[in-house]
Amino acid sequence: MTDRSASDAEFLLRDVERALPEGELERKLEEGRPLRVKLGLDPTAPDIHLGHTVVLRKLREFQDRGHVVILIVGDYTARVGDPSGRSAERPQLDPAEIDHNAETYQRQAFAVLDPERTEVRRNGEWLDMPAEELFRLARTATVAQLLERDDFAGRFAEGSPISVLELLYPLLQGYDSVAIRADVELGGTDQLFNLLLARQVQQAYGVAPQVAITMPILPGTDGVRRMSKSEGNYVGVTEPPEEIFGKVMSIPDEVMPAYYRLLLDREMEGDMSAVESKRALARELTARYGGGEAAAHDAEGHFDRLHVQHAPPEEMEEARLPEGEVVHLPQLLADEFGLSRSEARRLLTQGGVRLDGEPLPGSEFDIAADKLVDRVIQVGRRRFKRLRAADARG
């Protein structure tokens, strides 16, 4: 092994959980060619969050050393739903929603990846296959093998339903590696089974098997569950700067070391207090994803005004009330804050919507328009708008 390939392997394997088979990455680097490094993302939600960037940043390290990243947007596998870590089958998504999310994923991934060294593919290119090809793929693994997965095994033992479609998911993901001839595939620790099964699928099709690399999973802002849009404990990479700063400031102290290590590639400074460390973390992440140091500075000032001085922000957007004497609050929140009406109703019921600082009663979804004019509506802890009368000319 050359000194160059050994040093590259040592650098690229920093902070990874597993790299299997052991020594295989070094051997592939010895070949002296750009490796094809794969990441598959199923666009089940429209936003990439900080949890995704743990793997994306590792991909960028491969790119910076001359390798090619293949970002697979799983427009077909999303129709199945990844069962990894799930105790029940995922709900089926509307194809139009998947297509919309796929466009968003691709755009947001380039906040981390170098577009010049990234191939973006949709696995509908090859998974829209004839039945004969699907049958051939299904023969590459056994049911007993698939049921060894922790999530399947647990559900099988409990007598919980497992659809045949779910059992196919790891094989479909493995076929992605065949189609793009992946040398390396990255994923979270929950993806190890899928990544290793893909090696078997590749071999069945006469393709050199990939290296399986898993990365640690970033805890969400609750400090307990993995970061996830569906859990509501996420920090989106394209959220407004004040949202990024405020959400990072809400994480529990005990998960800060993981955030520093996985998102900033360094350890926390021991001579700083917990609150100083958290502010430094929030500033750096806000600057990186929220528009630079000036944006981070303004976001910190916004945070202090709300949570230290307990005052509304000095500047806020205005929202024009709809015409009519009565305003349906779930629709207003959906229109002005980008929420679904069901999410808006949930927030109202839980007291998460305030008017001039006072919680709106969760039992009343309709309110007289004249009671809202020129008042400040607040969603959660950081989102404010000043309500103005309907524009009669509109």
Side-chain angles (χ1 to χ4, degrees):
M1 183 184 301
T2 66
D3 291 342
R4 170 65 186 275
S5 62
S7 63
D8 276 1
E10 182 180 2
F11 179 83
L12 291 169
L13 293 179
R14 293 168 13 268
D15 295 326
V16 307
E17 286 284 334
R18 304 287 296 275
L20 297 174
E22 292 186 11
E24 185 68 5
L25 178 63
E26 294 92 327
R27 191 195 66 75
K28 285 185 179 288
L29 290 170
E30 274 281 289
E31 296 175 10
R33 62 177 175 84
L35 299 182
R36 293 177 63 75
V37 187
K38 168 195 170 190
L39 174 67
L41 291 173
D42 285 345
T44 53
D47 295 320
I48 285 179
H49 52 64
L50 292 182
H52 293 121
T53 70
V54 175
V55 177
L56 289 172
R57 284 164 51 77
K58 181 60 66 176
L59 291 171
R60 180 59 188 258
E61 290 179 358
F62 274 92
Q63 288 183 321
D64 290 344
R65 277 157 178 74
H67 305 292
V68 177
V69 163
I70 299 88
L71 180 65
I72 296 181
V73 179
D75 60 331
Y76 255 55
T77 44
R79 287 161 168 77
V80 178
D82 187 358
S84 300
R86 304 287 294 192
S87 58
E89 186 173 5
R90 291 178 184 266
Q92 188 169 4
L93 294 179
D94 179 79
E97 182 181 359
I98 291 173
D99 289 341
H100 168 75
N101 293 346
E103 292 293 338
T104 306
Y105 261 43
Q106 178 177 332
R107 185 174 63 254
Q108 293 181 2
F110 291 141
V112 180
L113 298 177
D114 177 4
E116 297 299 319
R117 285 191 173 272
T118 306
E119 293 181 18
V120 179
R121 306 286 295 274
R122 295 195 180 195
N123 59 17
E125 295 176 37
W126 49 82
L127 292 183
D128 186 9
M129 59 175 61
E132 183 179 355
E133 283 300 311
L134 181 61
F135 297 159
R136 179 186 177 190
L137 175 60
R139 282 193 286 267
T140 61
T142 68
V143 172
Q145 214 176 350
L146 297 173
L147 288 178
E148 290 176 1
R149 282 178 47 139
D150 290 342
D151 37 33
F152 285 154
R155 287 164 63 184
F156 186 75
E158 294 169 359
S160 299
I162 303 171
S163 72
V164 174
L165 194 58
E166 288 182 281
L167 291 175
L168 281 176
Y169 185 94
L171 298 177
L172 297 174
Q173 182 175 331
Y175 193 80
D176 291 348
S177 295
V178 172
I180 58 100
R181 306 186 77 84
D183 293 302
V184 181
E185 182 174 6
L186 271 70
T189 53
D190 61 336
Q191 291 290 315
L192 182 60
F193 181 95
N194 291 357
L195 272 54
L196 292 177
L197 185 65
R199 289 174 47 84
Q200 179 176 323
V201 176
Q202 286 178 303
Q203 288 175 306
Y205 282 86
V207 175
Q210 66 189 18
V211 181
I213 295 179
T214 59
M215 297 296 297
I217 293 175
L218 186 73
T221 54
D222 58 359
V224 179
R225 297 162 297 182
R226 63 180 295 163
M227 185 172 287
S228 167
K229 181 73 183 287
S230 61
E231 297 287 357
N233 62 352
Y234 71 102
V235 183
V237 299
T238 58
E239 292 193 86
E242 59 272 13
E243 281 289 300
I244 297 175
F245 191 95
K247 285 185 174 183
V248 174
M249 289 297 293
S250 74
I251 67 173
D253 293 350
E254 56 267 23
V255 301
M256 277 200 295
Y259 275 57
Y260 266 88
R261 186 175 65 256
L262 297 176
L263 301 178
L264 302 183
D265 291 329
R266 65 173 186 270
E267 301 297 327
M268 286 176 55
E269 296 183 24
D271 58 349
M272 295 175 66
S273 68
V275 68
E276 289 172 333
S277 295
K278 197 175 296 185
R279 280 182 176 270
L281 175 69
R283 280 194 297 268
E284 190 160 344
L285 292 174
T286 304
R288 178 179 297 171
Y289 298 111
E293 293 185 3
H297 179 271
D298 291 344
E300 185 170 14
H302 177 89
F303 177 86
D304 287 343
R305 181 171 176 82
L306 297 186
H307 301 289
V308 178
Q309 303 166 19
H310 301 291
E314 293 179 343
E315 297 182 7
M316 69 183 77
E317 293 183 13
E318 293 188 352
R320 189 70 60 180
L321 291 169
E323 293 187 20
E325 296 182 359
V326 176
V327 173
H328 186 56
L329 291 173
Q331 187 63 57
L332 176 69
L333 297 175
D335 292 341
E336 296 297 336
F337 293 94
L339 306 173
S340 67
R341 280 179 291 182
S342 60
E343 186 177 5
R345 285 191 290 270
R346 178 181 60 79
L347 286 170
L348 285 162
T349 302
Q350 295 176 349
V353 181
R354 294 174 177 265
L355 192 65
D356 287 344
E358 295 296 323
L360 284 167
S363 58
E364 298 179 19
F365 289 166
D366 296 303
I367 190 169
D370 58 8
K371 292 184 178 180
L372 298 174
V373 175
D374 296 332
R375 301 181 72 181
V376 173
I377 192 166
Q378 176 185 350
V379 174
R381 290 188 290 179
R382 293 176 290 276
R383 304 178 71 183
F384 298 80
K385 288 196 177 184
R386 189 174 298 280
L387 301 173
R388 298 301 190 191
D391 187 347
R393 295 170 298 174

